[in-house]
Amino acid sequence: MAETMQDLLEIELLDALSAERQALDGMEAMLDAAASQGLRRAIQEHMAETRRQIERLEQAAQMLGIEPDDADSCEGIQGLLEEAQEMIDLMEPGPLRDVALVAAAQKVEHYEIAAYGTLCALLGAAGQPQAAALLAETLEEEKAADARLSQLAEREINPEALRRDQAANDPDRRGAGSAA
Ligand SMILES: [Fe+2]
């Protein structure tokens, strides 16, 4: 039970730590399911980043005298990853599944952005500027990862899925100029 700011900080920090560890497994599954080379690269890069982010959380835990091995399972991320797995299981490999993977990955990033935003604010308020600065680095990485996924979807993955739709479902109207 949380009765003090320190208690709450501990809960939030351990939740983020568990979330990142679970997200790493989730990304492994997403990597296996992704067809686009660009998406595979983005996932691989973020997996490497996530390993460093886990280290930062462990460091921050140490600064606060929190035992990082006490991290429980993060149910929020678990739910998001279960949804991602459902989509993977429902769809054939290809551009449409890649669109679904980007959506799933961005939901995870947004969860993490919210978690790190809160952690930075709580650490700042609790007079822990070093730990706050450490996690602020991660917060920026999460925002950048999210932006990278948006860009990838807009430039490559969404148009490719739409092209496939048009080719498969509407062969008579191909090239008719209806871009809506
Ligand atoms: Fe992330």
Side-chain angles (χ1 to χ4, degrees):
M1 240 248 307
E3 289 176 350
T4 64
M5 275 293 259
Q6 169 75 19
D7 295 341
L8 189 60
L9 250 173
E10 183 162 336
I11 290 170
E12 295 290 346
L13 197 122
L14 290 176
D15 189 71
L17 184 53
S18 176
E20 291 291 17
R21 289 172 176 163
Q22 290 164 253
L24 203 51
D25 289 341
M27 279 186 278
E28 191 82 59
M30 289 188 204
L31 180 63
D32 286 344
S36 146
Q37 282 310 312
L39 180 56
R40 290 179 57 80
R41 213 170 19 250
I43 295 170
Q44 276 167 330
E45 283 170 11
H46 198 52
M47 285 175 76
E49 244 168 14
T50 299
R51 291 191 186 95
R52 291 196 296 276
Q53 294 170 351
I54 289 172
E55 285 171 10
R56 285 196 199 111
L57 282 166
E58 289 168 348
Q59 261 178 280
Q62 215 168 22
M63 289 174 183
L64 285 128
I66 296 169
E67 179 49 63
D69 289 338
D70 287 348
D72 220 351
S73 166
C74 170
E75 288 177 29
I77 282 289
Q78 189 184 325
L80 293 177
L81 294 177
E82 279 171 12
E83 282 186 1
Q85 191 58 50
E86 274 171 35
M87 294 302 286
I88 290 171
D89 294 343
L90 280 172
M91 300 170 86
E92 296 293 325
L96 194 61
R97 186 155 84 173
D98 286 349
V99 173
L101 287 170
V102 170
Q106 286 192 290
K107 286 177 191 170
V108 171
E109 293 316 316
H110 280 246
Y111 183 97
E112 293 170 345
I113 288 167
Y116 285 112
T118 298
L119 275 171
C120 288
L122 292 183
L123 287 165
Q128 295 283 351
Q130 265 186 308
L134 202 56
L135 299 190
E137 271 180 65
T138 296
L139 177 58
E140 291 313 308
E141 284 175 0
E142 301 293 21
K143 288 181 187 170
D146 180 55
R148 226 165 27 234
L149 286 168
S150 287
Q151 207 177 58
L152 192 64
E154 283 160 19
R155 288 187 186 166
E156 182 195 317
I157 294 172
N158 296 348
E160 178 62 18
L162 278 170
R163 262 196 303 277
R164 293 283 180 107
D165 276 2
Q166 282 163 356
N169 299 332
D170 210 2
D172 294 336
R173 290 192 200 167
R174 276 172 78 188
S178 70

